[in-house]
Amino acid sequence: MTDPNELDGMTLEELELQALAKEAAKTPPEVIPDAADLPDDVRDGVASEVA
Amino acid sequence: MSVPARPTFQKEGPASPCTLHGKNLSWMNCTPLSTAMGVDRSTLGRVRISGCQVRDEIEPPDYVGGTTLKQCSAVAEKHGVDVEVHVGANVCTPRYAAIQLQAGRGFVLQGNTQPDGRGNVNHAYWVNHAGKGSLGAPTSAMVYDPWSNGPEVWSWSDILAFAAALRVNGEDRPEKLGPGKFYCAIYPDTEPHAHFKHGGVKTNPFPDKTLGHSLVAGKRVRVRTGPGLEFPPVPGRTLKTGDLFLVYQAASSKKPLAGSKVWYGNHDGTEWVHKSGLTAIGGSS
């Protein structure tokens, strides 16, 4: 039996959180004071076989 | 069940062979692979490119070692996907990234795998969606890590540890990014989305929270596989009066039923209910 509160893999609670987040997401990111000297060009490294 | 949208997983190594200009880059493509998954998710599968293609489209060409978020995000942009890159002085907070994730966006996150036991390797993976939790503080998220065997739920604390461990001046230097910052590339909001079928069109509101409504007391409302009586019922699936039915699309049947041809469908168009079996259509949530 399908739980009526859980539809399409998303609960009503999650849907409500998503709506709340969409509002909050409009706020621009805050400036982080000690980030001024961080480099732009950090590269990923070399991975290896997954165990 | 596919909400939110998910990309096809792309695995690093021999599973994604990538030899360009005579160099085997298959173990150096975590950011291109994560970017390719971001493009896939952001276009709901309309643009499917390989990590190797992302690597090959970097300008100017770069076939040595790993890559940066900026290089790969520029390739995503070439494929029509707007990307918000947070690196260097423009680095963002984990809370900001978490809110974007909860709102329906995904991101490529850079970090280092030392905290999870894979050694000191700068790395990147695709974070697709958040699990439960409160605003800006999910308890977990669904991670598509190319250096793994498939999508996995990561605790948010493990994601924070990964991000903070990023060696900002390279793996051979000790400086770590530290907590409170994310090097990430945030992709467009795809949510909510729907897979439209049978000529279905988007509802307004989208999605719309409707309720089952039986015209005959005690009877349950039948859910069908398409918009019309010619479509078979979904086995074992009915609605009783008051049951929630989240609808994403509306379509017309060939013949009217109770004076209306309008049917409402779910997210992936696999369940349809005639208008007469629902109430609260177009209502406020």
Side-chain angles (χ1 to χ4, degrees):
Chain A
M1 176 76 71
T2 303
D3 177 353
N5 291 315
E6 186 167 343
L7 295 158
D8 293 327
M10 220 170 175
T11 63
L12 262 186
E13 193 183 56
E14 286 163 341
L15 206 60
E16 280 158 11
L17 178 60
Q18 188 180 81
L20 201 64
K22 281 188 190 299
E23 246 340 278
K26 294 173 188 165
T27 307
E30 54 199 282
V31 174
I32 300 175
D34 65 347
D37 296 328
L38 287 171
D40 279 355
D41 54 350
V42 180
R43 286 175 184 261
D44 54 68
V46 181
S48 57
E49 196 64 63
V50 179
Chain B
M1 301 291 181
S2 57
V3 172
R6 297 162 193 234
T8 299
F9 178 68
Q10 296 198 33
K11 183 175 162 66
E12 199 163 11
S16 298
C18 187
T19 299
L20 297 170
H21 293 256
K23 289 185 179 143
N24 180 3
L25 300 166
S26 63
W27 286 114
M28 296 171 229
N29 269 349
C30 55
T31 306
L33 288 158
S34 301
T35 298
M37 289 191 273
V39 170
D40 181 345
R41 146 75 190 267
S42 301
T43 60
L44 302 180
R46 284 188 292 274
V47 180
R48 288 220 163 107
I49 51 177
S50 68
C52 194
Q53 187 179 341
V54 171
R55 182 72 190 237
D56 204 21
E57 290 184 11
I58 288 174
E59 289 178 359
D62 186 343
Y63 303 117
V64 178
T67 56
T68 71
L69 280 175
K70 277 194 165 178
Q71 286 177 314
C72 294
S73 300
V75 176
E77 298 264 358
K78 280 201 274 187
H79 288 272
V81 177
D82 289 334
V83 186
E84 184 185 318
V85 182
H86 292 280
V87 294
N90 188 37
V91 68
C92 72
T93 62
R95 179 179 164 79
Y96 176 81
I99 288 171
Q100 303 304 319
L101 191 66
Q102 290 169 323
R105 304 173 75 182
F107 55 82
V108 179
L109 179 66
Q110 271 190 324
N112 187 289
T113 55
Q114 196 156 43
D116 64 48
R118 287 182 285 179
N120 172 17
V121 180
N122 276 351
H123 186 52
Y125 52 57
W126 172 250
V127 183
N128 195 66
H129 60 274
K132 294 186 190 311
S134 57
L135 185 67
T139 54
S140 62
M142 183 62 83
V143 168
Y144 286 61
D145 180 353
W147 189 7
S148 76
N149 292 317
E152 276 183 314
V153 175
W154 278 50
S155 74
W156 191 247
S157 57
D158 284 347
I159 291 171
L160 292 173
F162 169 77
L166 180 68
R167 300 290 182 105
V168 288
N169 295 315
E171 293 141 350
D172 53 347
R173 300 276 306 163
E175 300 85 20
K176 294 179 184 173
L177 180 62
K181 304 180 192 79
F182 265 15
Y183 266 53
C184 61
I186 306 177
Y187 282 61
D189 182 354
T190 59
E191 303 309 316
H193 76 282
H195 302 273
F196 297 101
K197 288 184 185 159
H198 305 294
V201 294
K202 198 173 177 177
T203 57
N204 182 17
F206 180 75
D208 193 4
K209 294 172 197 167
T210 68
L211 301 173
H213 174 68
S214 176
L215 295 173
V216 182
K219 285 265 188 184
R220 298 178 75 97
V221 176
R222 191 159 277 177
V223 179
R224 292 185 177 272
T225 54
L229 293 177
E230 68 273 28
F231 292 95
V234 177
R237 177 85 166 109
T238 56
L239 301 175
K240 65 178 187 300
T241 294
D243 276 354
L244 182 68
F245 185 64
L246 209 55
V247 303
Y248 291 76
Q249 52 192 313
S252 293
S253 56
K254 288 176 189 159
K255 293 178 185 170
L257 177 66
S260 174
K261 290 183 175 179
V262 179
W263 289 68
Y264 290 99
N266 67 345
H267 155 258
D268 56 3
T270 55
E271 295 188 348
W272 293 83
V273 177
H274 185 257
K275 182 183 177 180
S276 64
L278 298 170
T279 57
I281 298 165
S284 58
S285 52

